[in-house]
Amino acid sequence: MVTTGAILMTSIDGGILPAVLPSISSEFGLNAAQAGLINSVFFAGLIVGGIAFGWISDRIGTGYRRTWTWNVAMLLGIVGGAMTFGFGGSFLAFLLLRIPMGMSRGGSEPVNVALVGEWWPKEYRGFAVGVHHTGFPLGQFATGALIAAVLGVAGWREAFLLIPLLGLPIIVLQAFVGTRRNQEKVYHWIDNHHLTRPLPELSTRLPSGIMAPVREALRSRNVRWSVVLVFLFLWGESGAVTFLTTQFVQNGMSVGEAALIAGASGLTGWAGQVLWGTLSDRTGRKFAIGFLIAGWAASLIAMIFIAGPTSAWIVLLAWGLFRNAPFPVVYALLIDSVPKAAGTAMGIMIGIALGVSGLFASVVAGWIIDSWGFTAHYLVLAAVCLLGYIPLAKIAETVPRHRATAPGTAD
């Protein structure tokens, strides 16, 4: 529950900017390409945060020791939000303050996912990461609702101040729950139920030099190709969500209504994550990802036909069944592949895949929208997602064959 709340706050922090982007663009007089630049700066910080915090968490230690790394990453976002409220009066200042919030967003996710993977038995890793990651779709919807509430009584700057503060109780709970004593209790339960520990020990540190976690992660073919795969998924997501509220406002919705509906995929996203995370434990990671690529492409094409609130709700609720589901499956794949360097592996993947895609996707998407409109925009994003079948073919399956073909059996 605590880690789900943690990932919910990670989702909310990342969703504030797209939700209030129309108001920011109006105040600073920005076109779509310039608005995309704001998102790009955020993702530049995300690259640094994802790689740095993932590596730090492996160096400090796996398991319960990751708790403190996550808490520091989350506090950075809260401070960045407060500074945005106090010092984001000019466009340049606002742009620069995207960096600490990006670092927080990039650093909190890989550490938190690795933490979850090290507290559950291997046999239920996909299920655990899927349930944990329900915080993302719930956060996507909650962001819209929270933004709509804040904009009803204040401005977009207050959103950056007030909403990140909701993470403080989660930080406190993480500190009290994520302890050595509690992890020992979990591992005893795993042993008593004849399941497989996620790690032989409660906490491990890779030996030798400071670059050991990086070498361990990059040595794995699955890590390298997962970066490419997730890069394509996240290019599609970043390109779509950055301009959803803008598209809805152009269709005649108010900013508050547009922000609320833009988070609709969160209402169904939790179901897709739990379903496909659990199935990937049985059918294999690759089968689940292959199905999700097709669902993503179809959903993005359907966004062309959004013409008002009703069609927006229908399309986004359908997209929710696919939108977040690939990520817990890929995370489980990485923890399977490099358990001792999971933080670094996911940090590299999130830093490079999410950071680089966000760095360029929103700018390219803004340029396409300015030049050819939303139809061309969504066709390009669907094509990008379909390219995911190429890296998927290079990835090695990590679920044992007897478990993938015989649901209900354990290693």
Side-chain angles (χ1 to χ4, degrees), residues 25-300:
S25 298
S26 176
E27 177 167 333
F28 293 123
L30 309 177
N31 59 29
Q34 291 170 325
L37 177 62
I38 299 175
N39 218 35
S40 295
V41 172
F42 175 86
F43 280 101
L46 187 147
I47 295 172
V48 176
I51 297 173
F53 279 102
W55 172 81
I56 289 169
S57 73
D58 284 335
R59 293 302 303 173
I60 292 176
T62 62
Y64 64 91
R65 288 193 173 100
R66 294 195 197 272
T67 298
W68 295 103
T69 309
W70 183 87
N71 283 350
V72 171
M74 199 65 200
L75 279 170
L76 183 61
I78 294 173
V79 172
M83 291 181 67
T84 298
F85 170 76
F87 303 103
S90 69
F91 177 63
L92 179 60
F94 176 77
L95 200 64
L96 292 175
L97 286 168
R98 297 307 84 229
I99 297 174
M101 293 198 77
M103 291 179 66
S104 172
R105 167 67 176 81
S108 58
E109 184 174 353
V111 177
N112 199 29
V113 177
L115 191 64
V116 170
E118 292 158 358
W119 283 63
W120 278 77
K122 285 184 179 180
E123 291 83 359
Y124 298 100
R125 181 168 287 158
F127 166 78
V129 179
V131 171
H132 154 267
H133 242 59
T134 57
F136 250 112
L138 294 175
Q140 287 155 2
F141 179 75
T143 301
L146 288 168
I147 293 294
V150 171
L151 292 180
V153 297
W156 61 264
R157 286 182 178 82
E158 283 76 11
F160 284 101
L161 171 66
L162 298 174
I163 294 176
L165 290 176
L166 298 175
L168 286 175
I170 304 297
I171 291 174
V172 174
L173 286 172
Q174 280 275 43
F176 278 98
V177 174
T179 63
R180 180 185 181 92
R181 181 180 179 182
N182 286 333
Q183 191 177 351
E184 285 176 341
K185 292 179 180 178
V186 170
Y187 275 40
H188 287 319
W189 183 92
I190 292 172
D191 293 340
N192 291 336
H193 286 78
H194 308 291
L195 297 169
T196 308
R197 288 187 176 195
L199 291 172
E201 303 172 24
L202 296 179
S203 182
T204 61
R205 298 173 181 172
L206 284 173
S208 69
I210 62 173
M211 296 303 292
V214 177
R215 288 195 296 269
E216 176 79 7
L218 293 180
R219 191 178 294 122
S220 169
R221 182 180 68 175
N222 279 3
V223 173
R224 299 192 301 269
W225 283 110
S226 291
V227 170
V228 179
L229 175 65
V230 172
F231 170 83
L232 296 171
F233 273 123
L234 290 171
W235 184 287
E237 182 175 47
S238 179
V241 301
T242 301
F243 295 101
L244 268 179
T245 52
T246 301
Q247 178 187 7
F248 295 167
V249 169
Q250 290 180 7
N251 284 337
M253 303 182 205
S254 68
V255 174
E257 182 183 26
L260 177 64
I261 298 176
S265 62
L267 294 175
T268 50
W270 65 271
Q273 287 187 315
V274 175
L275 172 65
W276 287 104
T278 303
L279 286 178
S280 76
D281 287 329
R282 308 303 176 198
T283 65
R285 313 293 185 209
K286 294 185 65 172
F287 174 83
I289 295 169
F291 187 92
L292 291 167
I293 290 173
W296 258 73
S299 299
L300 289 169

